[in-house]
Amino acid sequence: MTVEKCNPDRLWNSIMEIGQIGHTEVEGSKVGGCHRLALTDKDKQARDLFVGWAKALGCSLRVDAIGNLFLRRNGLDNTLMPVMTGSHLDTQPTGGKFDGVYGCLAGLEALRCLEEKNIQTLRPIEVVVWTNEEGARFKPAMLGSGVYAGVFKLNDVLATKDEAGISLGEELDRLGYKEQTSVDTPECYQYYELHIEQGPVLEALDIDLGIVAGVLGMRWYEVEVTGRSCHAGPSPMNLRNDALVGVAEMISELTKIAANHSHDSRCTIGELNIPNASTNVSAGKVKFSLDLREGRLADLDELQTKAFETIHRIAFHHKLEIGIKETWSLPPCPFDETCLVNIQQACAASYPNLNPHTLISGAGHDAVYVSRVAPTAMIFVPSEDGLSHNEREYTSPEQLEKGCDVLLNTLILSANSN
Amino acid sequence: MTVEKCNPDRLWNSIMEIGQIGHTEVEGSKVGGCHRLALTDKDKQARDLFVGWAKALGCSLRVDAIGNLFLRRNGLDNTLMPVMTGSHLDTQPTGGKFDGVYGCLAGLEALRCLEEKNIQTLRPIEVVVWTNEEGARFKPAMLGSGVYAGVFKLNDVLATKDEAGISLGEELDRLGYKEQTSVDTPECYQYYELHIEQGPVLEALDIDLGIVAGVLGMRWYEVEVTGRSCHAGPSPMNLRNDALVGVAEMISELTKIAANHSHDSRCTIGELNIPNASTNVSAGKVKFSLDLREGRLADLDELQTKAFETIHRIAFHHKLEIGIKETWSLPPCPFDETCLVNIQQACAASYPNLNPHTLISGAGHDAVYVSRVAPTAMIFVPSEDGLSHNEREYTSPEQLEKGCDVLLNTLILSANSN
């Protein structure tokens, strides 16, 4: 295949320019952070800038009823379904300049290259900006892609309010980004999303490109452990029934199980509360959250079984009562084989010596929902120190360039297949 | 020695009668609980009832400037310092009928026996009711005995306010229990306090009487453990720096150290907080309280050394930062040998087959402060299920009788020594 090349300076400068909208100065951050919550005035400024750049290339804009933006460059046969790429322009309250933004601007850079070199593809290519990916202003996350994929109902999402009581629908009207009254039936041949990793794996391996084979399945639980509280003084250690001592053993063993279960296993105890806690009273009750993740459904089931067995065994040993409640779950999301092969080919052609690492994303992305209605895969570049949702988030210009080149050649491959 | 015997029905009935003041009905409680906070109208009712009973025996009442009540039965030589016994009549918000009350009413029962049988002692005997032992209304605990022993300054304590902003001094004035303007120089030959155990040791050993050789030394710390938070998904287990995983190992090891250190060792982690906790974020920081107790100063020092070494070793292994701050401490309080021998003799005479258990109190009592100004020791009877500060608190009439008999004969022994 012919290999095309992005303009790395233009890509970097565009990311930096759009990052000025909501820019935050932070000590220890190489390029500063970004505060640009979904559907605020700053988000509109970023959208306007982005749309202006795309229109300058001759792209057409379509906005769906949830405010997702589709910027289209026509192909030779516009009756064919478009290839899509994109991500989001909103950030966390103390977010960085790359999460989401990179995927949108690398898509734009791909269109700029094609236009500059006057390359025609068979299929149209669309760069998408999904609404409210972060979930920082309107909950839950990934509302735009969720409505697009039929996971959420349009009217429910339009009625969703932020903490100030303003609805998402009101904000779309106010900002003028709600141009149609219904969400289109998704028309997408293949969807590719380029993103920073948000974790430390690629950096640890010193590999500049990751091919994302899917997203981990996730299950959340609330675990309640009941023993008996007693005064810290009069009760000898051997006559206690301390719920926290049992829970400590559970945390140690659960995290060990995940460390040894499979390469994709994750076990996180993020929240822990002792009701009526007091320095001189041993814990009668402890509640903690449990977040289990695995790449395949059978592995997730097995991880859950092992975790539950461990909790019950330790509780029995310490004479504690146990309650476990599942509060949320998402099945594992394997990405499309054909899309993955396209990325591999594009990477091999662009960077024959790179040897990309195939990994499973532990975090959700718009691609998870899009994959329910179109063949989908993702590309990762490293995040320095594994940071994201953080003002110190950083990926080097060279790494951004490699990811963008792979995306560009993947899009060409995909858009020329029929 | 001649052995005297209390009237167990009179003792029980008096405890139940005074327990009606503030009585609470609670499911699963054999005799109900008690809600009688310090220096409330109910506390005054209980004091009035108690003072009335003592005056009916011919006792004189002295009230000091902090509202402690001294009910005196004269001896043959009233120039000698009195033997004192007593405890407190205030309760926790959801307290029981025995904590404190038993010590006061067993003292009264002792005086009743002496009066009934017309027994004269060489020294005067005083039954004391200490003000605000619980610390549930005015903080800290043991204010009355603390002022008596010179641990707290009178004016500071009088100015101490409850949550409603009412000062302790105002309440003393209102209730008419502040008859002198200064606290006396303590004049006490020996002090004996009879109390329910508040722990499970005597019940577990099936022994109805404990001779309390002292009170554990206590040290409180705040420990702060800092790792690095990361997203629960993208970060593989082996690349994490989870503060909670380190803390879990600390909790397991610290409690094991205390279990194996000495019979009197206590280690309690009662409070644990994860700032900015979230289900899908591993803990970047964990703060926990640490309460260490030991019977001897050298043992407490050694326990602290082992605990700190363990915390630092685990932190090093998990690449965590540690901060430890001592927030409060009380040295071990060994009771007086002569007083302990008197209790042993009285017990051997009253109950030759009882074989009392010598133990160290893990909880503080008025006796801890009194011991700073007078030879002191304590007697314990079992608490069912080790409960105290609890509406289900219970000690059987037979156990209360034994404790009261031992107190009675101890007081006679002490009051006849010169």
Side-chain angles (χ1 to χ4, degrees):
Chain A
M1 62 185 281
T2 319
V3 175
E4 298 302 331
K5 188 85 196 69
C6 76
N7 180 332
D9 293 339
R10 184 169 57 194
L11 172 66
W12 177 261
N13 292 336
S14 297
I15 293 173
M16 291 301 110
E17 187 176 342
I18 210 163
Q20 286 307 308
I21 305 168
H23 169 80
T24 54
E25 267 308 314
V26 185
E27 203 185 317
S29 173
K30 290 179 180 167
V31 295
C34 198
H35 177 90
R36 196 168 63 220
L37 298 182
L39 304 182
T40 55
D41 289 350
K42 292 213 182 304
D43 190 23
K44 176 179 160 56
Q45 279 181 55
R47 286 168 165 243
D48 289 350
L49 180 61
F50 188 82
V51 167
W53 281 334
K55 284 190 171 169
L57 293 175
C59 292
S60 61
L61 169 67
R62 184 168 53 87
V63 183
D64 71 9
I66 193 67
N68 296 319
L69 312 181
F70 300 84
L71 291 147
R72 179 183 178 108
R73 180 177 191 264
N74 277 329
L76 296 170
D77 183 350
N78 292 309
T79 65
L80 293 173
M81 286 196 288
V83 175
M84 282 175 24
T85 190
S87 196
H88 58 96
L89 293 176
D90 65 322
T91 76
Q92 289 284 331
T94 55
K97 289 205 157 47
F98 303 94
D99 181 345
V101 179
Y102 174 49
C104 296
L105 292 188
L108 179 76
E109 174 58 28
L111 298 193
R112 281 172 166 167
C113 292
L114 296 176
E115 198 57 28
E116 192 171 53
K117 296 177 187 168
N118 200 24
I119 297 169
Q120 295 302 310
T121 55
L122 177 63
R123 294 172 178 276
I125 299 177
E126 294 189 355
V127 180
V128 196
V129 176
W130 303 109
T131 297
N132 192 70
E133 193 272 348
E134 294 290 5
R137 184 175 177 198
F138 299 100
K139 293 188 192 336
M142 309 189 294
L143 284 178
S145 53
V147 168
Y148 173 82
V151 175
F152 303 121
K153 286 185 188 156
L154 173 63
N155 287 333
D156 291 351
V157 173
L158 291 175
T160 301
K161 291 181 176 173
D162 69 4
E163 286 193 355
I166 303 169
S167 76
L168 192 148
E170 287 173 69
E171 286 296 71
L172 286 177
D173 286 339
R174 183 177 74 85
L175 301 179
Y177 273 113
K178 188 182 168 187
E179 296 187 3
Q180 296 180 207
T181 51
S182 69
V183 175
D184 282 354
T185 307
E187 281 224 337
C188 175
Y189 173 62
Q190 290 177 339
Y191 175 69
Y192 296 92
E193 185 166 347
L194 174 60
H195 206 280
I196 59 166
E197 184 198 338
Q198 305 194 270
V201 174
L202 293 175
E203 185 181 57
L205 295 171
D206 197 19
I207 296 178
D208 281 347
L209 199 109
I211 300 178
V212 187
V215 177
L216 299 182
M218 312 169 192
R219 287 184 194 155
W220 287 9
Y221 315 87
E222 281 174 12
V223 185
E224 186 173 299
V225 181
T226 308
R228 187 159 146 186
S229 68
C230 66
H231 191 301
S235 299
M237 302 308 286
N238 63 333
L239 295 179
R240 295 189 179 193
N241 190 211
D242 186 330
L244 186 63
V245 173
V247 167
E249 204 174 312
M250 290 174 197
I251 293 169
S252 294
E253 294 216 18
L254 289 170
T255 48
K256 272 180 205 149
I257 286 170
N260 296 317
H261 191 248
S262 91
H263 183 264
D264 296 322
S265 300
R266 307 280 190 274
C267 169
T268 306
I269 293 94
E271 298 180 83
L272 188 153
N273 290 297
I274 306 170
N276 304 314
S278 177
T279 298
N280 63 346
V281 178
S282 66
K285 194 184 282 294
V286 175
K287 297 178 186 186
F288 66 88
S289 66
L290 177 63
D291 175 326
L292 297 180
R293 305 192 182 202
E294 255 294 1
R296 301 187 320 155
L297 195 58
D299 291 339
L300 186 55
D301 287 339
E302 189 183 311
L303 182 63
Q304 174 183 298
T305 301
K306 284 185 183 171
F308 285 15
E309 278 174 4
T310 299
I311 290 170
H312 284 287
R313 176 175 49 74
I314 293 170
F316 181 79
H317 178 68
H318 287 268
K319 298 192 176 67
L320 302 167
E321 301 288 322
I322 292 294
I324 305 180
K325 193 170 69 180
E326 185 179 305
T327 56
W328 181 74
S329 74
L330 207 61
C333 168
F335 285 146
D336 181 75
E337 276 301 325
T338 308
C339 291
L340 292 169
V341 169
N342 283 347
I343 297 169
Q344 276 158 2
Q345 284 188 18
C347 183
S350 299
Y351 295 96
N353 301 321
L354 195 151
N355 197 14
H357 180 64
T358 298
L359 75 171
I360 313 265
S361 171
H365 290 283
D366 289 312
V368 172
Y369 287 150
V370 179
S371 76
R372 299 194 183 184
V373 291
T376 293
M378 291 186 76
I379 306 165
F380 276 175
V381 294
S383 325
E384 190 172 278
D385 288 337
L387 290 178
S388 74
H389 293 185
N390 191 308
E391 292 167 305
R392 287 178 293 134
E393 188 178 284
Y394 183 75
T395 300
S396 74
E398 297 71 29
Q399 291 168 327
L400 296 173
E401 175 185 358
K402 287 178 191 163
C404 188
D405 283 338
V406 173
L407 177 69
L408 166 63
N409 289 292
T410 301
L411 293 176
I412 295 171
L413 255 180
S414 172
N416 285 333
S417 58
N418 52 19
Chain B
M1 63 185 282
T2 319
V3 175
E4 298 301 331
K5 188 83 197 68
C6 76
N7 179 334
D9 292 338
R10 184 169 57 194
L11 171 65
W12 177 261
N13 291 338
S14 297
I15 293 174
M16 289 303 109
E17 187 176 343
I18 210 163
Q20 286 307 308
I21 305 168
H23 170 80
T24 54
E25 266 309 313
V26 185
E27 203 186 316
S29 173
K30 289 179 182 168
V31 295
C34 198
H35 177 89
R36 196 167 61 219
L37 297 182
L39 303 182
T40 55
D41 288 350
K42 290 209 184 308
D43 191 23
K44 176 179 160 57
Q45 278 181 53
R47 286 169 165 243
D48 289 349
L49 180 60
F50 188 82
V51 168
W53 280 335
K55 284 190 171 170
L57 293 176
C59 291
S60 61
L61 169 66
R62 184 168 53 89
V63 183
D64 72 8
I66 193 66
N68 296 319
L69 313 181
F70 299 83
L71 291 145
R72 180 183 178 107
R73 182 177 190 264
N74 278 328
L76 296 170
D77 183 351
N78 292 309
T79 65
L80 294 174
M81 285 197 288
V83 175
M84 280 175 26
T85 189
S87 196
H88 58 96
L89 293 176
D90 64 324
T91 76
Q92 290 283 331
T94 55
K97 289 204 157 47
F98 302 94
D99 181 344
V101 178
Y102 174 48
C104 296
L105 291 189
L108 179 75
E109 174 57 29
L111 298 194
R112 281 171 166 168
C113 292
L114 296 177
E115 197 59 26
E116 193 172 51
K117 296 178 187 168
N118 199 25
I119 298 170
Q120 295 302 311
T121 55
L122 177 63
R123 293 172 178 276
I125 299 178
E126 293 189 358
V127 180
V128 196
V129 177
W130 302 109
T131 297
N132 191 68
E133 193 271 348
E134 294 290 4
R137 185 176 177 198
F138 298 101
K139 294 186 192 335
M142 309 188 294
L143 284 179
S145 54
V147 168
Y148 174 82
V151 176
F152 303 121
K153 286 185 186 154
L154 173 64
N155 286 334
D156 292 349
V157 172
L158 291 176
T160 301
K161 291 180 178 175
D162 69 3
E163 286 193 353
I166 302 169
S167 76
L168 193 148
E170 287 173 69
E171 286 295 71
L172 286 177
D173 287 337
R174 183 178 73 85
L175 301 179
Y177 273 112
K178 188 182 167 187
E179 297 186 3
Q180 295 182 208
T181 51
S182 70
V183 174
D184 282 355
T185 307
E187 280 225 336
C188 175
Y189 173 61
Q190 290 177 339
Y191 176 69
Y192 296 93
E193 185 167 347
L194 173 59
H195 206 280
I196 59 166
E197 185 198 337
Q198 305 195 271
V201 174
L202 293 175
E203 184 182 57
L205 295 172
D206 197 19
I207 295 178
D208 281 347
L209 199 110
I211 299 178
V212 187
V215 177
L216 299 182
M218 314 170 191
R219 287 184 194 155
W220 287 9
Y221 314 87
E222 280 173 12
V223 185
E224 185 172 299
V225 181
T226 307
R228 186 157 145 186
S229 68
C230 66
H231 191 301
S235 299
M237 303 307 288
N238 63 333
L239 295 179
R240 295 190 179 193
N241 191 211
D242 187 331
L244 186 62
V245 173
V247 168
E249 205 173 311
M250 291 173 196
I251 293 169
S252 294
E253 294 215 18
L254 290 170
T255 48
K256 272 180 206 148
I257 286 170
N260 297 317
H261 191 249
S262 91
H263 183 265
D264 296 321
S265 300
R266 308 279 190 272
C267 169
T268 306
I269 293 94
E271 297 181 82
L272 188 153
N273 290 298
I274 307 170
N276 304 313
S278 177
T279 298
N280 63 346
V281 178
S282 66
K285 194 183 282 295
V286 176
K287 297 178 186 186
F288 65 89
S289 66
L290 178 63
D291 174 325
L292 297 180
R293 304 191 182 202
E294 256 293 5
R296 301 187 320 154
L297 194 60
D299 291 340
L300 186 55
D301 287 340
E302 189 183 311
L303 181 64
Q304 174 183 297
T305 301
K306 285 185 183 173
F308 285 14
E309 277 174 3
T310 299
I311 290 170
H312 284 287
R313 176 175 49 75
I314 293 170
F316 180 78
H317 178 68
H318 287 268
K319 298 191 176 67
L320 301 167
E321 301 289 323
I322 292 294
I324 305 180
K325 193 170 69 179
E326 185 178 304
T327 56
W328 180 74
S329 73
L330 206 63
C333 168
F335 285 147
D336 181 75
E337 277 300 324
T338 307
C339 292
L340 292 169
V341 169
N342 284 347
I343 297 170
Q344 276 158 0
Q345 284 188 18
C347 184
S350 300
Y351 295 97
N353 302 319
L354 195 151
N355 198 14
H357 180 64
T358 298
L359 75 171
I360 312 264
S361 172
H365 291 282
D366 290 311
V368 172
Y369 287 150
V370 179
S371 77
R372 300 194 183 184
V373 290
T376 294
M378 291 185 75
I379 306 166
F380 276 176
V381 294
S383 326
E384 190 172 278
D385 288 337
L387 290 178
S388 74
H389 294 186
N390 190 308
E391 291 167 304
R392 287 179 292 133
E393 187 178 286
Y394 183 76
T395 300
S396 74
E398 296 70 30
Q399 291 167 328
L400 296 174
E401 176 185 356
K402 287 178 189 162
C404 188
D405 283 338
V406 173
L407 177 69
L408 166 63
N409 289 293
T410 302
L411 293 176
I412 294 171
L413 255 181
S414 173
N416 285 332
S417 58
N418 50 18

